[in-house]
């Protein structure tokens, strides 16, 4: 029940950013899963969402600049902003991941969790940290498509994540067993989304993609 309540609270403050909708759709998909989660699982999910929000902020912040230079047909400045956004987001993802990995045993204590719960968190957090650079790429790519009148591509990246996650959540746990495969489902979703974003970017650069 707690997952559904938190999701509904998020929907009350629904932002206009396309990147934000990616996280909200994933929250909806994860809501019923959160009902069965133990405390340490809930803590790690919401703590990681804090890092995702930081990466989303890079995309949201760079989007107006990309839109401006696109409107001015200043391709050099547009590519410069995109390049800066990718580099900055990836640096934040790597640095945030390192900080979280080093302090993984202390995360539970921030939320008042017991020593045993903190140990469980420290074991699972590294799985999620693998996805952070890929989240950075997808966030900037989505913002870039939306800012340059390629909204169709941005929506593809937005809604492919819950679809992929649903597929992985249905396939991986029965095949390999254990709740840990739920977590790997989220990681694989981020990885495949980033790969798709890279492919779409390359096709757009070549002019081979109609949208």
């Amino acid at each position: 029940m707690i997952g559904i309540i938190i999701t509904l609270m998020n929907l009350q403050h629904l932002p206009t950013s396309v990147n934000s909708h990616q996280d909200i759709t994933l929250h909806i998909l994860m809501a019923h899963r959160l009902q069965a989660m133990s405390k340490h699982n809930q803590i790690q999910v919401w703590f990681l969402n804090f890092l995702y929000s930081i990466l989303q902020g890079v995309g949201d912040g760079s989007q107006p600049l990309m839109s401006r230079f696109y409107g001015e047909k200043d391709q050099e400045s547009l590519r410069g902003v995109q390049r800066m956004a990718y580099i900055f987001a990836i640096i934040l993802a790597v640095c945030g991941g390192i900080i979280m990995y080093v302090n993984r045993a202390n995360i539970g204590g921030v939320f008042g969790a017991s020593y045993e719960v903190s140990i469980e968190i420290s074991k699972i957090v590294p799985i999620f940290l693998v996805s952070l650079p890929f989240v950075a790429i997808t966030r900037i790519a989505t913002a870039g498509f939306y800012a340059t009148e390629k909204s169709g591509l941005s929506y593809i990246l937005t809604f492919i994540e819950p679809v992929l996650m649903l597929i992985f959540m249905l396939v991986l746990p029965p095949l390999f067993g254990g709740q840990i495969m739920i977590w790997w489902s989220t990681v694989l979703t981020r990885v495949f989304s980033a790969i798709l974003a890279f492919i779409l970017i390359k096709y757009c650069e070549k002019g081979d993609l109609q949208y």
Side-chain angles (χ1 to χ4, degrees):
M1 187 64 184
I2 185 173
I4 296 175
I5 293 174
I6 295 175
T7 301
L8 291 176
M9 291 173 64
N10 287 337
L11 290 174
Q12 290 178 349
H13 304 284
L14 186 65
T16 56
S17 167
V18 174
N19 284 334
S20 299
H21 291 147
Q22 286 179 294
D23 289 325
I24 289 171
T25 51
L26 290 177
H27 287 168
I28 293 173
L29 186 60
M30 290 291 289
H32 87 279
R33 287 288 180 180
L34 282 168
Q35 298 176 56
M37 285 183 188
S38 59
K39 184 176 181 180
H40 70 270
N41 291 331
Q42 295 178 26
I43 289 174
Q44 70 192 10
V45 167
W46 299 116
F47 195 91
L48 282 162
N49 279 342
F50 172 74
L51 292 179
Y52 294 156
S53 296
I54 293 176
L55 299 178
Q56 174 187 316
V58 178
D60 290 349
S62 60
Q63 184 173 312
L65 287 174
M66 288 188 278
S67 181
R68 170 190 170 185
F69 292 129
Y70 176 78
E72 294 175 353
K73 302 187 184 304
D74 187 348
Q75 294 298 317
E76 182 176 352
S77 296
L78 173 60
R79 286 192 292 270
V81 171
Q82 290 175 327
R83 182 166 54 251
M84 178 183 64
Y86 279 115
I87 293 174
F88 189 55
I90 292 174
I91 290 175
L92 283 176
V94 173
C95 291
I98 292 174
I99 293 173
M100 192 169 178
Y101 180 81
V102 172
N103 295 280
R104 64 191 185 281
N106 302 319
I107 294 174
V110 175
F111 296 88
S114 66
Y115 174 78
E116 291 76 13
V117 170
S118 297
I119 293 299
E120 290 299 319
I121 292 174
S122 67
K123 293 178 181 178
I124 300 176
V125 159
I127 296 175
F128 287 92
L129 298 183
V130 174
S131 68
L132 288 178
F134 299 99
V135 174
I137 293 172
T138 305
R139 291 294 180 268
I140 304 304
T142 304
F145 288 143
Y146 197 72
T148 55
E149 295 186 313
K150 302 178 182 67
S151 57
L153 301 183
S154 69
Y155 285 122
I156 288 175
L157 292 180
T158 298
F159 295 110
I160 196 65
E161 287 196 356
V163 172
L164 287 174
M165 182 174 289
L166 178 61
I167 293 173
F168 287 132
M169 288 173 66
L170 292 175
V171 173
L172 294 183
L175 288 180
F176 301 100
Q179 183 172 280
I180 193 172
M181 297 315 302
I182 297 297
W183 309 137
W184 277 112
S185 295
T186 66
V187 174
L188 290 175
T189 295
R190 306 293 189 176
V191 172
F192 275 80
S193 295
I195 293 174
L196 176 60
F198 180 78
I199 293 173
L200 293 177
I201 290 170
K202 289 303 179 182
Y203 270 95
C204 285
E205 291 176 351
K206 294 179 180 179
D208 296 336
L209 190 63
Q210 300 296 324
Y211 41 84

